[in-house]
Amino acid sequence: MAVDVGTIQATLSLRDEMTAKIEGAAAGLEKFGSRVTEFGKAATVGFTAPLAAIGLGIQRLGAFGDTFVEMAARTGIGIESLQALKFAGEQSGVSMETLALSISQMQNRLVETPEAFEALGISVKNFRALDPEQQFVAVGRAIASIEDPAARTKAAMDIMGRGALTTMPLLTEDIGKLTTQARTMGIVVGEDTVRQMERMGDEMSALQGQLSAAITKAVAPLVEAFLSLSPPMRQAIVVAGALAAAL
């Protein structure tokens, strides 16, 4: 059967047209698949990102609560007072740990050398009726009123020991005004709330421990299986893993 040139050209043209359509459809499917993949990734990120943010927030709140609950138990200073004093200290570059140590020293000296307080014009009887925050404010006010720097430093060390040297920048400030400002600004969180934060953080830590234990138990059979392999096989797996990580 003879086939003329026109028929051949028409057939080739039809083939090219069909090929172009097929390639176009394949490209469209590939593009669609890529979009589906991107959507899946976005959906996963969109779902997990808020959960991760919530988890991180819980950890930070838990750490906040744990810090003040633990320090309150260690120093005898109220949780709310610690927050107010922390704010006051931050304004003068004095850390919370330094403040807590200075207040603890102050309370020890109140028992051991009460005359040091009387020398500042502080009535020991009335002073003992105050809470630690009020005591610290009263001592700071008395020390700040001493004009001679050397006498001021000596008086502070008589009350707080060597820690007074690092606490001095705050002692010369109006501590009462700063702690009041902390409360007015809403920086001080209620004690009940702080304790709830601490419990929430403890529960989060417990859950993380359970998850870690579950993962460990899940991979244990894999570890046993790996160790049961011959040394060359184990080496091959390690090399393959290293290559995969490098690619």
Side-chain angles (χ1 to χ4, degrees), residues 45-79:
V45 172
F47 179 73
T48 58
L51 291 180
I54 292 172
L56 181 60
I58 290 175
Q59 288 181 331
R60 289 178 176 175
L61 290 175
F64 177 90
D66 187 65
T67 296
F68 287 103
V69 169
E70 186 274 332
M71 188 168 288
R74 179 159 51 90
T75 63
I77 306 171
I79 289 175

Side-chain angles (χ1 to χ4, degrees), residues 12-154:
L12 291 175
S13 177
L14 179 61
R15 184 202 63 182
D16 292 341
E17 183 179 352
M18 291 290 291
T19 300
K21 288 182 178 181
I22 292 172
E23 289 177 348
L29 287 173
E30 182 178 357
K31 187 175 182 180
F32 175 75
S34 177
R35 287 180 178 177
V36 169
T37 301
E38 291 175 2
F39 174 78
K41 290 180 179 179
T44 301
V45 172
F47 179 73
T48 58
L51 291 180
I54 292 172
L56 181 60
I58 290 175
Q59 288 181 331
R60 289 178 176 175
L61 290 175
F64 177 90
D66 187 65
T67 296
F68 287 103
V69 169
E70 186 274 332
M71 188 168 288
R74 179 159 51 90
T75 63
I77 306 171
I79 289 175
E80 294 182 23
S81 291
L82 282 171
Q83 295 175 72
L85 289 170
K86 179 178 182 293
F87 172 80
E90 288 172 345
Q91 310 314 303
S92 305
V94 180
S95 71
M96 187 67 250
E97 285 291 340
T98 298
L99 271 176
L101 179 60
S102 296
I103 293 174
S104 294
Q105 286 290 330
M106 176 188 71
Q107 292 173 326
N108 290 337
R109 300 297 174 92
L110 181 60
V111 176
E112 297 170 356
T113 56
E115 61 274 11
F117 295 84
E118 296 285 356
L120 286 174
I122 295 174
S123 169
V124 172
K125 180 180 179 180
N126 295 334
F127 188 78
R128 283 176 174 155
L130 303 176
D131 64 41
E133 179 186 347
Q134 294 171 327
Q135 290 176 342
F136 188 72
V137 170
V139 167
R141 188 178 296 117
I143 291 175
S145 67
I146 302 174
E147 296 183 1
D148 180 59
R152 187 190 309 133
T153 300
K154 181 181 182 305

Side-chain angles (χ1 to χ4, degrees), residues 183-239:
R183 289 181 169 87
T184 302
M185 293 173 63
I187 293 174
V188 176
V189 180
E191 179 173 347
D192 290 343
T193 301
V194 174
R195 291 190 181 279
Q196 287 175 349
M197 291 178 183
E198 189 249 355
R199 288 195 295 272
M200 179 176 64
D202 289 345
E203 290 184 8
M204 185 75 168
S205 296
L207 289 172
Q208 289 175 333
Q210 290 177 335
L211 178 60
S212 178
I215 293 174
T216 301
K217 291 177 181 178
V219 301
L222 296 178
V223 175
E224 294 177 2
F226 176 80
L227 294 176
S228 67
L229 298 173
S230 64
M233 183 62 73
R234 291 202 300 266
Q235 185 177 5
I237 292 174
V238 170
V239 171

